[in-house]
Amino acid sequence: MRGFTPLTHGASIALTIALRCDALPLDAGAETAATSAPSAAASDVPVTDVTSHGPYAGPPPTTTGALSTAVLAASIPARPPEAYKLRYPADGRLHQVEPAPYTPGGGVGTNGSEPVYRVQSDFDYQSVALGLYQEWIELDLFHYGLATYPVAEFEANGLTAEDRYLLQFMAEQEVGHATLLTNMLGPEAPVQCTYNYPPANLREYLDFCQKLTRWGESGVYGFLNHLDAREVGQLLLQSITTEARQQMVFRQFAGLFPMPVWFEVGVPQSWAWTLLAPYIASCPRGQTRLVWQNFPALHVLNQPNPARVDGAGAWDETLGDYANTLSTAGLSASDDACVGAPAVGANCGPAITRNRTRPLSYPGRRVFLQWDEPGRAVGPNNSYVTSTTAGPPRFAAWVSQLNVTYSPLLNVSGNAGYTVQPDVSTFAGDPAVNGTMFLALTDRDLPVTPFNLSLVNPFVNALTLYQAG
């Protein structure tokens, strides 16, 4: 078997697999063990352990704001569907000649041309670069957890040596992901930075990880099918499906139901960058900058707390960060904390699955919100600035699964108000508002769908994650 051709940046990058299997006579006593020389493999990108963590404390940045060039319009207008997309009869019959046996007509990238695994546009480059920033922080974050929290704390939370090795293996996966994306971007690809994490203990760390991997996964789903480079999209798909498994593992570590939705949500790049950038403290001089917007933070005052038996009863139990990471500071181990709780449906220790008797959130729940003003310095070296082009906020946009559902923003006073969780389903039997999902404030209830969600960006006031389940 000949392995993958090493990935390098150039005019043509090919991945090839050749497999030759000769028929052998069946022999029940045949020797099954064999030895073979290891095949050559592509080298990893240079990786070093980040030696410092904490907020940026350096000099003011010399460059601020998102990368930009000439801008043609304030927003992209909504248009009717392209006519050709409504023409195919979709009746189960073949309507085109077959280019080869067993090969229906149509498709993209199916004409036999050699695949080229490199970005093809600014959209491609900036999207994949955002993904690489995400891979780098995950690589560090997973190592950070193992280095920071003692074995005794893992064991007190029900996590064994085998669980800790799984965390280590997930960090090793990120080396592969960072290598792949770096090779598709070329020599100016973003490199490792230093980071600032809010958790003070392992329980908070696990919640932060399941939230960070949620926006990492959803951020790629949001742009994957918009890429000009379909070949790049194929490889990204094969890496992001691994990250989806990581997100589920962290939910299991945290005692949450592992997959409470029928569909995973995709979000625009600016949403992922908004949530990621505040945790990047500094990057090396000359680091490639991103074009994406940083929205102001949205704080959920009664964010459901998965570390509490009555998670929906939480008030002011977050770390105050962009992701609304849970805080354990106000929990009494004997009364409120759910790790080790004796009752079925109350215990939230790590498990393959948990099913809470008391839901974390529910339709009709009042959700109390505060939001920041724009103009805050965030991100690497405090060199990006939060902004919004929206008018005064009027709606909360619940973005989960296949749905964007708006609920009115009520009792607004200054930068505070509340909304009511809507009762909405994707299909009958599947509550749309569930899992670790996205919550935004907007100045209008613009109709959008999973493929054109980014059209809402000019009307977004603030953004966060909501722990609905």
Side-chain angles (χ1 to χ4, degrees):
M1 180 174 180
R2 191 169 64 232
F4 284 127
T5 302
L7 277 174
T8 56
H9 187 76
S12 176
I13 303 174
L15 287 177
T16 59
I17 296 180
L19 180 64
R20 180 171 180 265
C21 183
D22 296 324
L24 296 174
L26 182 63
D27 182 354
E31 176 63 50
T32 58
T35 59
S36 62
S39 59
S43 59
D44 298 335
V45 294
V47 174
T48 58
D49 288 334
V50 176
T51 56
S52 65
H53 293 87
Y56 178 67
T62 56
T63 302
T64 59
L67 189 66
S68 184
T69 182
V71 178
L72 297 179
S75 63
I76 298 174
R79 296 184 174 91
E82 296 166 292
Y84 79 92
K85 294 182 179 179
L86 304 175
R87 293 173 187 157
Y88 183 73
D91 56 8
R93 300 177 181 178
L94 295 178
H95 297 275
Q96 299 161 280
V97 297
E98 296 178 67
Y102 313 108
T103 307
V108 177
T110 60
N111 64 358
S113 298
E114 181 181 354
V116 177
Y117 294 94
R118 71 188 299 271
V119 291
Q120 300 295 326
S121 63
D122 288 349
F123 184 93
D124 288 3
Y125 192 101
Q126 288 289 313
S127 299
V128 177
L130 169 63
L132 183 52
Y133 270 98
Q134 179 76 25
E135 305 296 358
W136 284 131
I137 196 173
E138 289 169 352
L139 171 61
D140 178 70
L141 178 64
F142 302 163
H143 280 153
Y144 173 86
L146 291 168
T148 301
Y149 305 109
V151 170
E153 189 169 356
F154 277 92
E155 292 177 346
N157 280 271
L159 295 169
T160 67
E162 291 172 307
D163 298 314
R164 295 193 299 276
Y165 177 71
L166 177 55
L167 182 55
Q168 171 64 35
F169 183 75
M170 289 192 287
E172 293 166 5
Q173 289 175 321
E174 299 308 329
V175 175
H177 297 173
T179 299
L180 178 70
L181 272 61
T182 296
N183 288 341
M184 291 191 294
L185 287 170
E188 300 304 318
V191 298
Q192 281 179 297
C193 300
T194 65
Y195 306 98
N196 181 33
Y197 305 129
N201 56 55
L202 181 62
R203 185 70 190 185
E204 294 172 355
Y205 169 82
L206 295 175
D207 187 65
F208 180 67
C209 286
Q210 68 91 6
K211 287 180 164 69
L212 181 137
T213 49
R214 162 50 50 229
W215 76 65
E217 178 189 349
S218 293
V220 172
Y221 293 154
F223 70 73
L224 195 60
N225 285 306
H226 292 285
L227 292 172
D228 291 297
R230 308 297 292 182
E231 302 95 325
V232 170
Q234 177 64 45
L235 299 190
L236 278 175
L237 176 65
Q238 292 176 239
S239 65
I240 204 61
T241 48
T242 301
E243 187 151 324
R245 289 159 171 80
Q246 293 175 351
Q247 206 274 335
M248 190 176 84
V249 166
F250 283 117
R251 288 184 63 89
Q252 292 171 311
F253 281 177
L256 291 163
F257 192 78
M259 43 180 179
V261 293
W262 291 7
F263 306 92
E264 296 297 349
V265 66
V267 297
Q269 297 95 322
S270 289
W271 293 34
W273 181 235
T274 291
L275 293 164
L276 169 61
Y279 304 105
I280 304 175
S282 64
C283 293
R285 182 183 297 273
Q287 175 85 324
T288 294
R289 298 184 64 78
L290 297 184
V291 70
W292 310 114
Q293 186 174 4
N294 298 88
F295 293 107
L298 176 61
H299 305 282
V300 182
L301 301 184
N302 60 336
Q303 169 84 314
N305 188 343
R308 173 186 282 278
V309 173
D310 179 16
W315 182 267
D316 193 22
E317 292 184 4
T318 74
L319 299 178
D321 59 321
Y322 256 77
N324 281 275
T325 306
L326 73 81
S327 170
T328 62
L331 298 184
S332 163
S334 59
D335 299 324
D336 303 319
C338 55
V339 173
V344 174
N347 186 3
C348 65
I352 293 174
T353 186
R354 295 286 186 186
N355 195 8
R356 287 176 176 263
T357 302
R358 300 181 185 181
L360 286 175
S361 194
Y362 47 84
R365 183 176 189 256
R366 289 188 176 189
V367 178
F368 294 89
L369 305 167
Q370 285 185 348
W371 52 96
D372 290 354
E373 290 288 340
R376 176 187 171 190
V378 295
N381 309 80
N382 283 339
S383 64
Y384 292 81
V385 181
T386 62
S387 66
T388 176
T389 56
R394 297 175 53 221
F395 296 94
W398 303 76
V399 183
S400 176
Q401 304 201 65
L402 306 180
N403 297 62
V404 178
T405 304
Y406 296 91
S407 59
L409 189 60
L410 305 171
N411 198 31
V412 176
S413 177
N415 282 27
Y418 77 88
T419 193
V420 177
Q421 179 177 322
D423 188 358
V424 60
S425 299
T426 51
F427 299 106
D430 176 34
V433 178
N434 210 339
T436 308
M437 55 165 294
F438 297 83
L439 186 63
L441 297 185
T442 66
D443 67 0
R444 65 197 67 187
D445 53 349
L446 183 74
V448 287
T449 64
F451 197 68
N452 69 349
L453 178 57
S454 61
L455 292 182
V456 80
N457 282 354
F459 315 112
V460 170
N461 299 90
L463 177 68
T464 193
L465 291 172
Y466 183 71
Q467 197 63 55

